[in-house]
C-alpha cells in the first residue's frame, strides 16, 4: 500500500497532465483567435500572442445579423430538439425496460434494425423535400434526429437499473402508469436524462450536414453553417479569384484570415462549454444518488 | 478546470454579447438601406433599358412579355451568401419582370458545400433551373452525360440568340458533350499562358530584364542573384514550392490529357498527337535537378511543404498564369507596390480553359426556355449583370469614370466573382485594373492558338484503378521533387518514381489516352 500522501500526489499529477492535455487545444484556439494575423504569418502559432488583436472578432461581427440569426436558429433547433428528443426517447425506453411488457423483444428488434440498416441519403432527402415539403424549415433538421436508437437503448439500460420494487410500491399506493413514469421514474433518472440531454444538445448544435442539404435560405442557416460560410468567404478572398484578370474588390490583406477561423471556433463552441459546465452538477449528483435506498 | 474555462471564456463572451446588443440598432439601419437601394435600382433599371438596346429580347422569335406566363427561376451557384442578397435579388427581378416576366431566386451555396448539395439535388431529381458548372466543380461532363442538365443545343440559339452569336462556333463545340450542348459559356479569358511574375522593386534593383526570362533556368538565375544580394532574413520566403513541374508543360507547348494527376500529355500543336509520359522526359529531369540546386542554394525554403503560414509580401516572384490585369491582382494580394509579368510560350485554347465557367440549365427545370432567356439577359444586359456581380450602385459600389467601379467600404454585397455569372466583358472594371483590360483580354483570346484537342474531354472510366494508383505515386513524389528536398538522392528517387509509375499501370493509361485521342482526331477530320 502506498502512502496516502504520495498516492494523492501521483493521482493529482496524472490528473493535472490529463487536464492540461484537454485544456491546451481550447486555450490555444482562444489565444490564436486574439493574435494579430501578421504575427501568425511571420511567427506561426504561439500560446501567448505577441500582439493582442480583436480584429478577427471585429471582422466577424461587422455584419452581426448573420451570426445572430445563426445563434437564434441553432438555439431553436437545439432547445426544441433536445426537449422533444428527451421526452420521446424516455417514452419509448420506459416500456422497453419493463419486464411485464410482452412485445418488448419485437419492438427492440425493430428499433435495433434501424440502427444497422438505414435508407440512405437519397430516400431521406426525397422524403423530407418532396413528400413532407420541409425544405428550408428548421423542422427538417430537428425531426430526423428525434428518436435515435442508441439513445433509446442507453436510457432503457439505465431505467432497468431502477428496481421494479419501486414501481410496484407506487402501484400499490394507487399511482397510475403515467404518474409512476413522471413522479418516480423520471426524477430518479435525472442524471441519466442530463447525460442524454448533453449528447442530444451537442448533436443538434454541431449538426452541419442536414442544414447543408435542407436549408437554402441564408436567414435560416444555423450557426455552424453561418460560420462555414464565413470561412468559405475568407478562403475565397485569401486564395484570390479562381480566374485571373480581375483585381479583387476586397484587399485580402485587410482581412485577418487566419485568426478568423479560430475566432469562429470559439464562437461556435462557447454555448456548449456553458451547457457542459451547467450540466456537470447533475453528473456529480448522479454519482452520489445512484445507490438504491430502502 | 471549470473555473479556468469560465475565466478564459468570460471576456470573449462579453464581447460577443455586446456586439449582439449593438446589432439590434444596426438592423433597423439595414432595412432603410434596403428600401433606398431598391429605389435606386429602379431608377437604374429604367435608364438602363434605353441605352442597352442589344440586351432587348425582342430578337427572340414570337416572345413578347405579354405572352409569357410569370415564372420563378431558381439559380444555384457556389459563393458566400452576402448580407444584402435579398436587395440585389429584388433589384434584378425589377428588370427581369419587365423583360421576360420572370423572377430569379438566387441561392448562393458556400463553396465547400456546393458540390455535395447539388449532387444530392440532382440525384433526387429536385426541381431547379440554373446551376454553375465547370470541369472543376460540379463536373460538367459527368453530369451532362448522366442527364442532369437540359439539352440546350436548339434552345440556346433560339432563345438566347445574342449570347449564342457572341462566341465562335468552335468555342461552343468545345463545350459539347456527345455532340450536344448542355451549358452556356461565360465569356472571359479563354486563352491560357504561363510565365513568371516578379516583384518589380527587385528586378529594378538587380537590373534584371524580366522580358528576356524564357525558361526556368533563367528564372532561377534571377532568384540566385537576389539571394546573393539580400540579407538572409529577407530571403526565407523567396518563392512558392512552385507548381512549375506542372507548368513546364504549358511553357513547352504541351498539354496534359485528362488532368495532371495521371501521366500522359501531348504536344498541342501536333496534327496527330502522340501521348507520352511527361514525367519521363529530359525536360522534367532537368527541372528536378534545378529544384535540387535551388534547395541547396537556399532559394526554396526548407519548410516550403509544411509551412502553415506564408508571408507573400516577402516573395520575389513565382510561376503564374499570365493575363491582362493579373499584375495588379498579384500586387494586391502580395501587398507589393508593383508586380510585373512575362509570359513564356504562346497562349493556347484548350477545352478546360473554354469550359472553365459555365451555367447549365437543370433537366428538372420546368421552364428551360425561360432559363435560356435569362442566360441571354445576364450575358447581354449590362445593368442586370453588374447588379449580380457588384450589387447596387451607390449602396454597394461607386462608379469611377465610365466603366470602372470601386467597392464601398464594408460593402454588404461583393461576391467578387463576376466570372461566374456571365459575359465578363460586359462588366465594370475594378478600379485598380488597366482601363482596357477587357480589350486586352479579347485580343489575347483572339491571338491564342486552338489546341488540336479543343473539344476533347478524356473519359477515365476504363482506367479508374490505374489512375488512382498513379495519382497516389505522383502525389508521393511530385511536391518533394518540386521542393528539391531529396537532395543527393534525387537521381535514385527519380528512377524509383518512374518505375513506381510503371508498376501503377502507366502503360495502360497511356494506351487508353492514345486510343481516345486517336478516336477524337479521326472524328474531327
Amino acid at each position: 500500500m502506498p502512502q496516502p500522501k504520495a498516492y494523492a500526489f501521483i493521482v493529482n499529477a496524472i490528473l493535472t497532465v490529463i487536464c492540461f492535455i484537454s485544456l491546451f487545444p481550447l486555450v490555444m484556439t482562444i489565444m490564436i483567435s486574439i493574435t494579430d494575423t501578421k504575427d501568425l504569418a511571420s511567427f506561426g502559432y504561439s500560446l501567448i500572442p505577441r500582439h493582442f488583436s480583436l480584429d478577427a472578432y471585429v471582422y466577424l461581427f461587422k455584419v452581426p445579423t448573420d451570426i445572430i440569426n445563426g445563434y437564434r436558429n441553432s438555439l431553436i433547433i437545439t432547445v426544441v430538439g433536445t426537449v422533444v428528443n428527451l421526452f420521446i426517447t424516455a417514452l419509448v425506453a420506459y416500456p422497453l425496460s419493463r419486464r411485464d411488457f410482452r412485445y418488448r423483444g419485437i419492438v427492440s428488434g425493430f428499433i435495433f434494425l434501424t440502427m444497422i440498416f438505414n435508407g440512405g441519403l437519397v430516400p431521406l432527402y426525397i422524403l423530407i423535400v418532396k413528400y413532407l415539403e420541409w425544405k428550408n424549415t428548421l423542422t427538417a433538421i430537428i425531426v430526423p434526429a428525434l428518436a435515435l436508437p442508441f439513445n433509446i437503448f442507453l436510457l432503457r439500460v439505465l431505467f432497468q437499473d431502477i428496481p421494479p420494487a419501486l414501481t410496484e410500491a407506487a402501484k400499490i399506493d394507487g399511482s397510475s402508469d403515467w404518474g409512476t413514469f413522471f413522479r418516480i421514474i423520471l426524477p430518479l433518472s435525472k442524471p441519466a436524462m442530463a447525460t442524454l440531454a448533453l449528447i442530444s444538445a451537442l448533436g443538434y448544435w454541431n449538426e452541419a450536414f442536414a442544414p447543408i442539404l435542407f436549408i437554402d435560405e441564408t436567414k435560416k442557416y444555423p450557426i455552424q453553417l453561418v460560420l462555414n460560410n464565413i470561412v468559405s468567404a475568407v478562403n475565397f478572398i485569401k486564395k484570390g479569384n479562381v480566374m485571373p484578370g480581375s483585381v479583387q474588390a476586397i484587399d485580402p490583406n485587410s482581412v485577418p484570415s487566419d485568426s478568423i477561423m479560430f475566432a469562429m471556433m470559439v464562437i461556435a463552441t462557447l454555448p456548449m462549454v456553458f451547457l457542459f459546465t451547467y450540466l456537470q452538477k447533475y453528473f456529480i449528483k448522479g454519482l452520489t444518488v445512484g445507490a438504491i435506498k430502502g | 478546470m471549470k473555473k479556468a474555462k469560465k475565466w478564459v471564456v468570460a471576456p470573449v463572451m462579453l464581447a460577443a454579447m455586446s456586439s449582439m446588443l449593438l446589432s439590434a440598432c444596426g438592423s433597423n439601419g439595414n432595412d432603410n438601406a434596403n428600401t433606398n437601394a431598391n429605389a435606386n435600382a429602379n431608377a437604374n433599371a429604367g435608364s438602363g433599358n434605353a441605352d442597352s438596346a442589344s440586351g432587348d429580347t425582342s430578337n427572340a422569335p414570337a416572345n413578347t412579355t405579354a405572352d409569357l406566363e410569370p415564372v420563378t427561376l431558381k439559380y444555384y451557384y457556389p459563393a458566400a451568401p452576402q448580407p444584402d442578397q435579398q436587395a440585389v435579388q429584388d433589384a434584378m427581378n425589377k428588370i427581369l419582370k419587365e423583360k421576360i416576366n420572370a423572377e430569379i431566386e438566387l441561392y448562393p451555396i458556400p463553396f465547400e458545400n456546393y458540390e455535395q448539395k447539388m449532387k444530392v439535388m440532382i440525384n433526387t431529381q429536385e426541381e431547379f433551373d440554373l446551376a454553375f458548372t465547370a470541369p472543376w466543380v460540379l463536373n460538367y461532363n459527368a453530369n451532362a452525360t448522366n442527364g442532369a442538365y437540359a439539352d440546350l443545343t436548339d434552345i440556346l440559339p433560339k432563345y438566347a440568340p445574342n449570347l449564342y452569336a457572341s462566341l465562335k462556333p468552335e468555342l461552343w463545340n468545345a463545350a459539347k458533350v456527345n455532340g450536344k450542348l448542355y451549358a452556356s459559356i461565360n465569356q472571359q479569358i479563354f486563352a491560357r499562358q504561363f510565365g513568371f511574375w516578379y516583384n518589380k522593386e527587385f528586378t529594378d534593383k538587380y537590373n534584371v530584364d524580366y522580358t528576356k526570362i524564357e525558361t526556368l533556368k533563367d528564372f532561377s538565375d534571377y532568384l540566385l542573384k537576389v539571394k546573393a544580394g539580400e540579407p538572409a532574413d529577407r530571403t526565407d520566403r523567396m518563392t512558392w514550392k512552385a507548381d512549375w513541374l506542372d507548368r513546364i508543360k504549358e511553357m513547352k507547348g504541351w498539354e496534359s490529357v485528362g488532368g495532371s494527376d495521371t501521366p500522359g500529355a501531348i504536344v498541342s500543336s501536333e496534327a496527330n498527337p502522340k501521348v507520352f509520359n511527361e514525367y519521363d522526359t529530359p525536360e522534367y529531369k532537368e527541372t528536378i535537378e534545378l529544384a535540387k540546386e535551388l534547395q541547396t542554394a537556399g532559394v526554396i525554403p526548407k519548410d516550403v511543404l509544411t509551412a502553415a503560414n506564408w508571408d507573400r509580401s516577402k516573395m520575389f516572384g513565382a510561376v503564374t498564369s499570365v493575363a491582362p490585369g493579373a499584375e495588379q491582382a498579384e500586387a494586391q494580394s502580395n501587398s507589393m507596390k508593383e508586380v510585373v509579368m512575362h509570359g513564356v510560350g504562346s497562349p493556347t485554347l484548350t477545352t478546360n480553359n473554354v469550359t472553365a465557367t459555365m451555367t447549365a440549365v437543370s433537366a428538372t427545370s420546368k421552364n428551360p426556355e425561360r432559363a435560356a432567356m435569362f442566360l441571354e439577359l445576364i450575358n447581354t444586359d449590362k445593368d442586370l449583370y453588374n447588379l449580380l456581380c457588384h450589387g447596387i450602385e451607390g449602396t454597394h459600389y461607386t462608379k469611377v469614370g465610365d466603366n470602372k467601379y470601386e467597392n464601398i467600404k464594408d460593402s454588404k454585397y461583393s461576391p467578387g466573382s463576376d466570372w461566374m455569372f456571365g459575359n465578363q466583358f460586359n462588366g465594370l472594371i475594378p478600379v485598380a485594373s488597366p482601363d482596357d483590360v477587357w480589350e486586352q483580354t479579347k485580343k489575347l483570346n483572339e491571338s491564342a492558338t486552338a489546341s488540336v484537342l479543343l473539344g476533347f474531354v478524356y473519359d477515365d472510366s476504363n482506367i479508374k484503378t490505374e489512375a488512382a494508383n498513379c495519382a497516389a505515386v505522383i502525389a508521393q513524389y511530385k511536391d518533394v521533387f518540386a521542393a528539391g528536398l531529396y537532395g543527393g538522392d534525387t537521381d535514385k528517387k527519380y528512377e524509383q518514381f518512374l518505375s513506381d509509375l510503371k508498376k501503377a499501370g502507366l502503360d495502360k493509361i497511356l494506351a487508353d489516352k492514345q486510343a481516345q485521342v486517336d478516336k477524337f482526331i479521326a472524328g474531327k477530320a
Side-chain angles (χ1 to χ4, degrees):
Chain A
M1 276 294 276
Q3 292 283 316
K5 230 180 186 174
Y7 181 71
F9 177 77
I10 292 167
V11 168
N12 276 329
I14 293 170
L15 286 180
T16 313
V17 170
I18 293 173
C19 180
F20 178 75
I21 291 171
S22 30
L23 259 183
F24 182 73
L26 186 77
V27 175
M28 191 77 179
T29 307
I30 293 169
M31 286 307 163
I32 293 170
S33 77
I34 55 171
T35 306
D36 193 277
T37 296
K38 281 212 185 68
D39 286 1
L40 289 181
S42 21
F43 307 114
Y45 305 131
S46 64
L47 200 52
I48 294 144
R50 273 164 219 255
H51 297 98
F52 174 80
S53 151
L54 281 177
D55 284 355
Y57 292 94
V58 171
Y59 183 88
L60 286 176
F61 284 100
K62 203 161 62 183
V63 189
T65 31
D66 279 356
I67 292 187
I68 287 159
N69 268 340
Y71 262 132
R72 196 198 54 215
N73 292 331
S74 278
L75 218 62
I76 294 173
I77 292 168
T78 308
V79 170
V80 175
T82 306
V83 169
V84 180
N85 181 318
L86 279 187
F87 187 66
I88 291 182
T89 308
L91 275 186
V92 178
Y94 177 55
L96 291 180
S97 74
R98 294 267 302 239
R99 287 177 193 282
D100 49 348
F101 175 43
R102 192 188 295 172
Y103 301 110
R104 65 195 187 111
I106 299 170
V107 175
S108 297
F110 263 121
I111 296 173
F112 186 61
L113 210 63
T114 65
M115 219 168 144
I116 306 172
F117 304 105
N118 60 54
L121 183 61
V122 169
L124 173 74
Y125 190 84
I126 293 179
L127 174 70
I128 288 187
V129 173
K130 286 207 176 145
Y131 292 96
L132 299 171
E133 295 183 356
W134 281 349
K135 194 159 192 182
N136 283 322
T137 60
L138 300 184
T139 326
I141 304 166
I142 297 172
V143 172
L146 274 187
L148 299 176
F150 177 78
N151 292 0
I152 292 173
F153 289 126
L154 182 80
L155 206 56
R156 187 189 68 173
V157 172
L158 293 166
F159 281 160
Q160 275 168 349
D161 283 350
I162 297 168
L166 279 180
T167 46
E168 277 160 28
K171 203 173 179 186
I172 290 164
D173 286 346
S175 168
S176 68
D177 280 341
W178 285 100
T180 313
F181 177 66
F182 283 112
R183 292 210 198 112
I184 313 281
I185 300 296
L186 284 189
L188 275 176
S189 345
K190 254 191 207 160
M193 298 296 274
T195 314
L196 213 60
L198 190 78
I199 294 175
S200 159
L202 263 177
Y204 275 117
W205 186 265
N206 290 333
E207 178 65 61
F209 188 62
I212 288 175
L213 290 181
F214 300 123
I215 308 286
D216 286 346
E217 286 169 24
T218 324
K219 57 177 186 290
K220 285 183 183 144
Y221 276 7
I223 191 77
Q224 304 294 347
L225 221 53
V226 170
L227 298 172
N228 183 331
N229 181 15
I230 293 173
V231 172
S232 177
V234 168
N235 274 337
F236 188 65
I237 295 167
K238 210 169 130 189
K239 259 189 276 176
N241 283 339
V242 182
M243 302 298 291
S246 55
V247 180
Q248 291 174 52
I250 307 157
D251 181 0
N253 301 304
S254 70
V255 178
S257 48
D258 287 315
S259 34
I260 280 184
M261 317 259 176
F262 292 90
M264 239 190 47
M265 277 187 249
V266 173
I267 293 175
T269 43
L270 271 186
M272 283 300 112
V273 173
F274 282 111
L275 184 73
F276 188 80
T277 40
Y278 171 73
L279 286 180
Q280 214 178 22
K281 74 176 181 211
Y282 287 97
F283 292 135
I284 295 160
K285 239 190 219 164
L287 294 176
T288 51
V289 164
I292 307 165
K293 291 167 201 156
Chain B
M1 180 174 162
K2 186 173 146 193
K3 223 174 190 172
K5 260 187 198 162
K6 264 191 179 161
W7 173 82
V8 174
V9 147
V12 186
M13 195 57 198
L14 202 72
M17 273 153 95
S18 56
S19 16
M20 273 191 209
L21 288 174
L22 285 175
S23 77
C25 318
S27 64
N28 277 339
N30 258 350
D31 292 345
N32 287 340
N34 286 356
T35 36
N36 285 343
N38 284 346
N40 274 349
N42 293 347
N44 283 347
S47 66
N49 286 341
D51 44 50
S52 64
S54 67
D56 210 306
T57 40
S58 59
N59 294 8
N63 275 317
T64 50
T65 318
D67 301 340
L68 295 168
E69 295 277 308
V71 298
T72 306
L73 301 170
K74 290 183 178 174
Y75 182 10
Y76 285 83
Y77 55 90
Q82 304 287 316
D84 267 1
Q85 199 78 43
Q86 189 62 40
V88 170
Q89 183 178 312
D90 292 346
M92 283 178 71
N93 282 336
K94 284 271 157 35
I95 301 180
L96 288 170
K97 194 86 196 152
E98 187 182 322
K99 293 204 168 176
I100 58 170
N101 202 17
E103 284 191 353
I104 192 96
E105 278 176 16
L106 301 174
Y107 291 111
I109 309 296
F111 252 103
E112 286 86 348
N113 310 337
Y114 182 70
E115 183 122 17
Q116 190 178 32
K117 185 179 174 96
M118 296 313 291
K119 261 187 195 155
V120 175
M121 286 178 62
I122 287 170
N123 287 339
T124 56
Q125 309 253 307
E126 189 173 339
E127 197 192 320
F128 67 97
D129 300 283
L130 295 146
F132 179 78
T133 184
W136 52 276
V137 63
L138 201 62
N139 193 316
Y140 169 66
N141 266 75
N143 282 310
T145 315
N146 294 341
Y149 302 146
D151 180 1
L152 298 180
T153 323
D154 302 320
I155 294 177
L156 210 62
K158 191 172 169 200
Y159 292 95
N162 290 323
L163 163 63
Y164 197 74
S166 69
L167 290 176
K168 286 190 261 179
E170 62 169 359
L171 298 176
W172 289 116
N173 284 339
K176 282 187 177 171
V177 177
N178 300 327
K180 286 180 178 157
L181 182 67
Y182 291 96
S184 137
I185 300 174
N186 296 334
Q187 193 173 161
Q188 55 198 297
I189 184 158
F190 293 137
R192 218 43 72 86
Q193 184 183 21
F194 287 89
F196 304 98
W197 67 261
Y198 309 86
N199 186 346
K200 181 130 190 306
E201 196 187 328
F202 293 92
T203 50
D204 286 351
K205 185 171 171 187
Y206 290 94
N207 218 353
V208 172
D209 183 0
Y210 63 89
T211 57
K212 293 245 164 61
I213 293 182
E214 297 288 344
T215 62
L216 281 170
K217 184 85 187 79
D218 299 344
F219 181 68
S220 63
D221 288 344
Y222 154 72
L223 290 179
L224 287 168
K225 211 166 169 183
V226 175
K227 175 81 187 173
E230 293 296 308
D233 64 338
R234 178 66 186 79
T235 55
D236 57 346
R237 288 287 182 259
M238 293 189 79
T239 190
W240 290 113
K241 75 178 176 208
D243 41 359
W244 52 27
L245 289 189
D246 288 331
R247 297 303 162 230
I248 54 164
K249 271 182 290 198
E250 280 88 354
M251 291 181 191
K252 300 271 174 204
W254 304 347
E255 177 182 344
S256 92
V257 180
S260 52
D261 54 351
T262 56
I266 57 138
V267 178
S268 298
S269 55
E270 276 179 8
N272 285 305
K274 282 274 154 290
V275 179
F276 59 92
N277 176 9
E278 70 266 40
Y279 297 105
D280 191 7
T281 54
E283 287 90 344
Y284 192 81
K285 180 102 198 287
E286 220 171 86
T287 314
I288 291 176
E289 294 290 337
L290 194 63
K292 185 186 86 182
E293 280 165 32
L294 291 180
Q295 176 62 250
T296 322
V299 169
I300 301 176
K302 281 214 156 36
D303 63 342
V304 67
L305 297 181
T306 47
N309 302 290
W310 194 272
D311 187 355
R312 298 182 65 150
S313 65
K314 287 175 108 177
M315 289 169 72
F316 293 94
V319 179
T320 185
S321 71
V322 177
E327 287 101 336
Q328 287 81 359
E330 190 72 51
Q332 188 194 39
S333 46
N334 299 347
S335 323
M336 285 171 190
K337 210 183 281 159
E338 195 179 354
V339 162
V340 286
M341 287 186 182
H342 178 62
V344 174
S346 59
T348 330
L349 283 182
T350 65
T351 313
N352 273 1
N353 299 346
V354 174
T355 59
T357 69
M358 299 192 288
T359 313
V361 176
S362 167
T364 58
S365 168
K366 291 220 172 81
N367 303 291
E369 294 86 10
R370 206 71 66 87
M373 287 160 79
F374 169 78
L375 288 173
E376 167 87 345
L377 276 185
I378 198 78
N379 279 287
T380 53
D381 186 316
K382 293 187 178 184
D383 297 312
L384 188 68
Y385 179 66
N386 283 321
L387 259 177
L388 184 55
C389 296
H390 310 299
I392 296 156
E393 189 184 346
T395 312
H396 303 122
Y397 70 92
T398 46
K399 219 165 169 177
V400 183
D402 267 353
N403 61 349
K404 289 192 156 187
Y405 77 96
E406 183 164 29
N407 265 69
I408 282 168
K409 200 177 175 303
D410 296 338
S411 170
K412 287 193 176 133
Y413 187 88
S414 61
S417 53
D418 48 356
W419 44 266
M420 194 184 283
F421 304 124
N423 185 347
Q424 207 181 12
F425 302 147
N426 281 337
L428 296 166
I429 299 169
V431 90
S433 291
D435 287 343
D436 59 345
V437 64
W438 296 155
E439 300 308 317
Q440 287 182 38
T441 311
K442 276 183 203 165
K443 218 177 275 167
L444 187 67
N445 281 349
E446 287 296 322
S447 72
T449 41
S451 155
V452 63
L453 288 189
L454 181 61
F456 170 76
V457 174
Y458 179 63
D459 169 20
D460 70 349
S461 53
N462 294 332
I463 48 129
K464 278 223 169 1
T465 325
E466 288 82 5
N469 290 342
C470 278
V473 171
I474 291 174
Q476 183 192 339
Y477 289 99
K478 194 163 82 174
D479 281 355
V480 192
F481 278 140
L485 284 169
Y486 282 129
D489 286 344
T490 305
D491 283 346
K492 221 170 74 197
K493 287 284 179 188
Y494 181 61
E495 295 303 318
Q496 180 75 36
F497 170 54
L498 291 181
S499 79
D500 280 1
L501 271 184
K502 256 211 156 48
K503 269 183 236 152
L506 170 79
D507 295 327
K508 196 175 169 196
I509 294 178
L510 292 183
D512 188 61
K513 287 186 173 180
Q514 185 70 55
Q516 290 192 33
V517 167
D518 288 347
K519 201 174 151 211
F520 174 78
I521 299 287
K524 223 166 75 160

